[in-house]
Amino acid sequence: MERMIEKANILIEALPYIRKFYGKSIVIKYGGHAMVDEALKSSFAEDIILLKYVGINVVVVHGGGPQIGEMLKKLGIDSKFVSGMRVTDKETMNIVEMVLAGSVNKEIVKLINKHGGKAIGLSGKDGNLIKAKKLLITKQDDFVKTSEIIDIGHVGTVESVNINVLKSMMENFIPVIAPIGVDDNFETYNINADLVAASVAKFLKAEKLILLTDVPGVLDKNKNLISSIKTSQIESLKKDETLTGGMIPKIDACADAVFGGVNKAHIIDGRIKHSVLLEIFTDSGIGTQVVAG
């Protein structure tokens, strides 16, 4: 009986959040270990379906860097990176699109549908969903005090998102988006999935953006979790090197979403089963939230 009462209390704790987020939109970036471990894949699909059944509009944006790297290796093509970005010539872009919009996207759609949901796969090409522009890398040379503009090929940033395409599908389906966009000349670009998720959340005016990662969130110098960060604190956290490496673009994506009208952005540990539900429907939540202020 005690266990049954405990389950009832969990549902009661979730009730105000279900009421608060009913009819709202949440954008979730799916990546990392949660895309590989079978138990985590199942729990993610269950989380997404539950959100949909309680009246929350869910949009999933996925990554796929490791899968791209694996396919390029099989084909004997070297992976080259500049400032953490994959150099993507036309041949590589064809493979990137095949992996992201093909095998990875359809695998996630199948996963959600298998667990009882109704997902539909999209890339930024579908309905001109994601308008992109070329990303140029500026590389600084501190020794001679000069900078160099580097063209890394078919790598882009998001210029705009055609929200009408999403809204036409969100009522009945869970959109699953591969991070690929096209420019005005219909050139195809590979775009960082965190940036795509942030842009979709911003243009959709979503209630939340959630980034699944392989870390607990942002940690302080003593390796303790920072549960909340205001946008005004981000630059100082970069200067004192609390924010380093791959966490910087994730925080920047969260800040961009919040500045664009998203209520809150969250960086959470996707290695925890049902991490999405724990973040949305519990009083304490998990991970690090980024808020305006």
Side-chain angles (χ1 to χ4, degrees):
M1 182 61 72
E2 289 296 326
R3 290 184 62 187
M4 293 175 67
I5 293 171
E6 183 181 350
K7 289 181 179 180
N9 287 333
I10 292 170
L11 292 172
I12 293 300
E13 182 180 351
L15 180 58
Y17 299 104
I18 294 173
R19 185 185 301 118
K20 179 179 180 180
F21 300 134
Y22 180 83
K24 303 290 179 63
S25 298
I26 294 177
V27 178
I28 300 171
K29 186 272 178 142
Y30 181 45
H33 204 64
M35 283 181 66
V36 179
D37 182 274
E38 290 300 323
L40 293 176
K41 286 164 65 174
S42 294
S43 75
F44 172 78
E46 290 164 352
D47 288 2
I48 299 303
I49 294 164
L50 191 148
L51 293 179
K52 186 65 177 176
Y53 275 126
V54 299
I56 297 172
N57 298 311
V58 189
V59 178
V60 176
V61 177
H62 65 82
Q67 292 90 335
I68 294 168
E70 184 179 337
M71 179 59 73
L72 290 172
K73 186 177 180 180
K74 285 181 180 179
L75 296 172
I77 301 172
D78 291 333
S79 292
K80 299 176 183 178
F81 294 86
V82 174
S83 299
M85 298 288 187
R86 187 186 301 276
V87 177
T88 308
D89 59 17
K90 193 170 186 62
E91 180 187 13
T92 303
M93 186 64 236
N94 289 336
I95 296 164
V96 167
E97 185 172 10
M98 176 183 71
V99 172
L100 288 179
S103 58
V104 174
N105 185 271
K106 301 316 172 192
E107 182 66 27
I108 298 168
V109 169
K110 183 179 77 173
L111 174 70
I112 294 172
N113 291 346
K114 179 182 175 181
H115 284 78
K118 290 198 298 181
I120 187 166
L122 302 165
S123 82
K125 283 185 168 181
D126 295 310
N128 292 325
L129 175 61
I130 299 172
K131 184 180 178 183
K133 61 180 178 181
K134 180 186 281 287
L135 174 66
L136 297 173
I137 301 292
T138 303
K139 192 172 184 180
Q140 298 290 140
D141 189 326
D142 295 331
F143 182 72
V144 295
K145 306 297 182 184
T146 60
S147 61
E148 178 186 4
I149 303 297
I150 302 175
D151 184 344
I152 56 174
H154 291 256
V155 178
T157 59
V158 179
E159 191 167 0
S160 64
V161 177
N162 187 344
I163 294 305
N164 291 330
V165 173
L166 284 181
K167 287 183 175 178
S168 68
M169 296 182 178
M170 286 169 62
E171 185 175 343
N172 297 309
F173 296 98
I174 300 167
V176 178
I177 302 173
I180 292 169
V182 291
D183 66 11
D184 288 332
N185 297 315
F186 295 95
E187 288 287 341
T188 307
Y189 292 92
N190 181 23
I191 310 174
N192 177 277
D194 293 332
L195 297 180
V196 172
S199 295
V200 169
K202 182 171 61 175
F203 280 89
L204 197 57
K205 296 291 187 255
E207 179 71 18
K208 287 180 180 290
L209 165 69
I210 298 176
L211 306 182
L212 269 64
T213 66
D214 287 341
V215 295
V218 178
L219 306 180
D220 64 19
K221 295 296 183 65
N222 297 316
K223 304 301 180 183
N224 296 315
L225 180 68
I226 302 175
S227 60
S228 186
I229 295 174
K230 293 181 179 179
T231 51
S232 60
Q233 298 174 305
I234 291 175
E235 287 307 314
S236 63
L237 290 172
K238 290 179 182 178
K239 287 179 181 178
D240 71 9
E241 296 187 343
T242 298
L243 293 171
T244 59
M247 187 56 71
I248 291 177
K250 293 185 183 300
I251 282 288
D252 286 345
C254 289
D256 181 54
V258 171
F259 284 132
V262 176
N263 189 32
K264 289 183 181 180
H266 305 262
I267 298 171
I268 68 172
D269 193 342
R271 299 170 300 178
I272 299 172
K273 288 184 70 175
H274 301 298
S275 57
V276 173
L277 297 186
L278 290 171
E279 177 55 55
I280 296 174
F281 291 143
T282 63
D283 292 336
S284 57
I286 61 174
T288 300
Q289 68 174 10
V290 178
V291 297

